[in-house]
Amino acid sequence: MIQFENVGFRYKRGPEVLQNVDLEIPAGSFQFITGESGAGKSSLLRLLYLDSMPTAGRISLFGRDVTTLTRDEIAWFRRRIGVVFQDFRLLDHLSAAENVALPLTVAGVREAAYRDNVTEMLQWVGLGDKMEVRPPELSGGEKQRVAIARAVVASPDIILADEPTGSVDPAMAERIMALFVEMNRLGKTVLFASHDLAMIEQYKLPITTLRGGTVASGKRASGRGAAA
Amino acid sequence: MSAIRSKGALIPFQAASGGLMILIVAAMAFLACFALAGALGTTRIASTWTEGLAGAATVRIDANEDDRARRTSLVLDILRDTEGIADARALSERDVADLLTPWFGGTPDLGELPAPGIVAVTLDIENEPDPTVVQARLDGAGAGAVYDDHGRWRGKAARAARAIGNLSWWALGLTALAIAASVFLVISIAMVAHKGTIEALRLAGAEDRFVANLYQKRFFWLGALGGLIGSGFALAAFVGLDALSSVRSALPMIDAPYYWPIAWLAIILACALVAVLAARLAVLATLRRRG
């Protein structure tokens, strides 16, 4: 369960980018977060992957108030959260396989134990033949799929995706959406941020709309989401 | 799958900065070897001087030629009768001349010099006599002799050697500090270049110590390699100096080759450990500062 109670957030001394956000996302649900550019979608996800702490209110994650977490606990919590960033954040000096293996490597899993898992994951996203290719040699869509494989390889409880279809063509966007729906079917909680309302509305899944840093409208997700 | 390399590859370390680090550590290790030689050498000097002068004393008899034989005999009787004195022997004119040779050159003619009579005294080290008691006995018998157990010189020599030794240890400490500061600086700069990578690692769930370990491993080898090169050059310098017999007698470190392998290994290990410790502190401090 993810719970936001009256959450506010600002970057240093800047204006509040999130104000009075109340949100409740049950475990195993699929939730779209939408809104125009600057509405606060990325900031909301940023709070969820614990890159920043709320400047007001309370966020409860896995039953803990995130502001009480130690640095080590933050690291352990992040291992339970897979993130697909808008800008991918792949490491250019590592191969696609090494990028995908990153969450397992930092968790101390031995290569022999995750080798097959990484291979399978890259095959799942259609990049089985590009395992040794480095990100600069991959297309935008391929990078996106590597980022998705990295986000899910350690089987996290929560998957956060920030505009994961923003830089790919419609066919690839549909394929990527299918991957997230599949992950949700496997029991993962998925938060999918996108400003592409037309694409979102194709799926009968809960949508929270942000406007000017506040929740403008939202359907409370209940239990596991179902794909259209 | 050959695509996944070791953890060390997670951070894209630059070969140039590694080379610079090795050079810095090598220079410091070279200096550290000489500081260590100084520290160990002066400790040996202090101990040699102290031990060499311990267990021995001299009695100086200021007397003219006519009276010297009588007074020497009196002094010998008193000394041999004193508890804690194992042996007393009057030096011959030839012995005294030999002692003066380094200062006068050639063989000095004692007939032309007001050289005193000297009695060499061997003390019972376990039971050395109180010098004031011995002097009082000599004075009481009217021997006109001065008893000297070299205590004043022993103390001065040992203090001087200890002071130089302490300075050498300080120099060694400062060298370690310089290595640590260099590592700290290099890592702080490197972490700016690696910001994106570190951010990706942390968002993937890496704890601070995981990131620190990546740098520690790298800097352990850089430190050890720098230490190996620097101390290798220092060892070559010692061997070169050792070949010069005139230098050899002046440098006790060189005169004790059994120290070399131990000191060499200690310097290499110390360089590696200082680099690791500094790397850890630098990484943890930088990560905490970034929040």
Side-chain angles (χ1 to χ4, degrees):
Chain A
M1 167 84 84
I2 299 166
Q3 201 167 17
F4 279 55
E5 288 174 42
N6 208 25
V7 167
F9 177 62
R10 67 173 78 224
Y11 293 96
K12 292 187 178 171
R13 290 180 186 171
E16 274 201 314
V17 291
L18 292 174
Q19 303 151 45
N20 307 319
V21 173
D22 287 307
L23 204 59
E24 217 173 271
I25 301 162
S29 62
F30 193 121
Q31 180 87 34
F32 282 115
I33 310 286
T34 189
E36 294 174 353
S37 288
K41 303 185 297 291
S42 295
S43 297
L44 189 139
L45 293 187
R46 189 181 177 127
L47 291 175
L48 278 173
Y49 59 76
L50 306 170
D51 197 31
S52 296
M53 288 293 153
T55 46
R58 183 176 180 274
I59 298 174
S60 173
L61 196 59
F62 304 121
R64 288 282 302 275
D65 178 349
V66 296
T67 56
T68 65
L69 298 175
T70 63
R71 288 180 72 83
D72 276 351
E73 285 173 332
I74 286 173
W76 300 334
F77 269 45
R78 280 176 177 157
R79 291 180 193 174
R80 299 177 67 184
I81 303 166
V83 189
V84 182
F85 298 98
Q86 198 171 0
D87 55 358
F88 319 129
R89 298 203 193 177
L90 299 176
L91 299 179
D92 287 349
H93 64 285
L94 300 181
S95 67
E98 285 169 331
N99 268 287
V100 172
L102 201 61
L104 299 165
T105 309
V106 301
V109 181
R110 289 185 173 276
E111 191 208 322
Y114 65 61
R115 192 181 297 159
D116 293 344
N117 194 9
V118 168
T119 306
E120 193 182 321
M121 202 55 66
L122 275 166
Q123 284 167 348
W124 181 63
V125 295
L127 294 171
D129 58 337
K130 303 229 166 161
M131 291 191 12
E132 296 192 32
V133 178
R134 295 184 184 200
E137 296 160 45
L138 296 171
S139 69
E142 288 170 335
K143 285 180 190 173
Q144 192 65 279
R145 282 181 282 158
V146 172
I148 291 168
R150 181 184 62 183
V152 301
V153 72
S155 194
D157 297 312
I158 299 171
I159 298 165
L160 308 175
D162 192 3
E163 303 279 5
T165 54
S167 57
V168 294
D169 58 61
M172 181 56 67
E174 200 171 320
R175 200 168 156 188
I176 286 171
M177 262 312 295
L179 290 176
F180 283 103
V181 170
E182 175 67 14
M183 290 310 295
N184 179 241
R185 281 203 176 115
L186 293 171
K188 311 297 178 191
T189 305
V190 179
L191 267 78
F192 190 110
S194 173
H195 66 277
D196 187 353
L197 208 55
M199 190 268 294
I200 287 173
E201 283 175 344
Q202 293 175 32
Y203 300 87
K204 289 184 171 58
L205 290 166
I207 302 169
T208 294
T209 305
L210 292 176
R211 190 167 298 133
T214 58
V215 177
S217 66
K219 281 193 290 178
R220 185 173 161 165
S222 54
R224 188 169 299 172
Chain B
M1 182 171 58
S2 61
I4 299 172
R5 291 167 293 166
S6 67
K7 278 184 192 170
L10 292 178
I11 304 273
F13 290 110
Q14 297 294 315
S17 67
L20 180 69
M21 197 66 245
I22 290 171
L23 186 69
I24 292 170
V25 176
M28 293 298 164
F30 185 80
L31 297 175
C33 283
F34 281 92
L36 185 64
L40 294 174
T42 46
T43 305
R44 287 191 71 227
I45 286 173
S47 133
T48 304
W49 286 352
T50 310
E51 283 167 15
L53 291 174
T58 50
V59 176
R60 194 178 73 242
I61 303 162
D62 294 320
N64 58 40
E65 287 294 325
D66 301 336
D67 203 21
R68 182 179 294 173
R70 184 189 68 78
R71 290 197 179 189
T72 301
S73 174
L74 179 62
V75 165
L76 287 172
D77 288 344
I78 292 168
L79 292 174
R80 284 169 184 156
D81 194 33
T82 302
E83 193 181 344
I85 290 179
D87 186 36
R89 179 179 67 87
L91 298 189
S92 66
E93 279 198 6
R94 177 65 185 269
D95 291 338
V96 175
D98 286 347
L99 286 174
L100 294 174
T101 296
W103 281 272
F104 289 91
T107 307
D109 181 0
L110 293 184
E112 292 179 2
L113 290 170
I118 302 286
V119 172
V121 181
T122 305
L123 304 174
D124 177 0
I125 293 179
E126 302 294 319
N127 180 31
E128 283 195 21
D130 182 344
T132 56
V133 172
V134 179
Q135 186 62 58
R137 292 194 69 191
L138 293 170
D139 291 345
V146 178
Y147 178 82
D148 182 3
D149 71 343
H150 315 302
R152 196 156 57 99
W153 296 107
R154 266 193 284 176
K156 273 189 178 176
R159 273 197 299 278
R162 267 199 300 274
I164 296 169
N166 286 342
L167 277 177
S168 299
W169 288 116
W170 274 103
L172 205 59
L174 285 174
T175 309
L177 201 63
I179 292 176
S182 306
V183 170
F184 207 95
L185 187 66
V186 167
I187 285 189
S188 299
I189 294 167
M191 284 183 76
V192 173
H194 301 153
K195 193 174 177 184
T197 303
I198 293 167
E199 202 54 32
L201 290 172
R202 293 180 67 199
L203 291 174
E207 297 145 329
D208 289 354
R209 60 177 167 274
F210 178 89
V211 179
N213 281 343
L214 297 175
Y215 282 88
Q216 280 170 232
K217 276 180 193 160
R218 161 88 170 166
F219 279 79
F220 175 84
W221 291 112
L222 293 180
L225 190 57
L228 182 71
I229 293 169
S231 58
F233 274 108
L235 194 64
F238 281 135
V239 170
L241 289 171
D242 191 32
L244 302 171
S245 57
S246 58
V247 178
R248 183 178 186 149
S249 60
L251 288 174
M253 171 68 184
I254 291 168
D255 206 25
Y258 65 89
Y259 272 134
W260 293 2
I262 301 166
W264 194 31
L265 286 175
I267 290 284
I268 295 168
L269 196 63
C271 287
L273 291 179
V274 167
V276 164
L277 192 65
R280 184 170 189 82
L281 291 176
V283 173
L284 294 180
T286 306
L287 290 177
R288 284 195 166 83
R289 200 168 50 244
R290 282 183 190 171

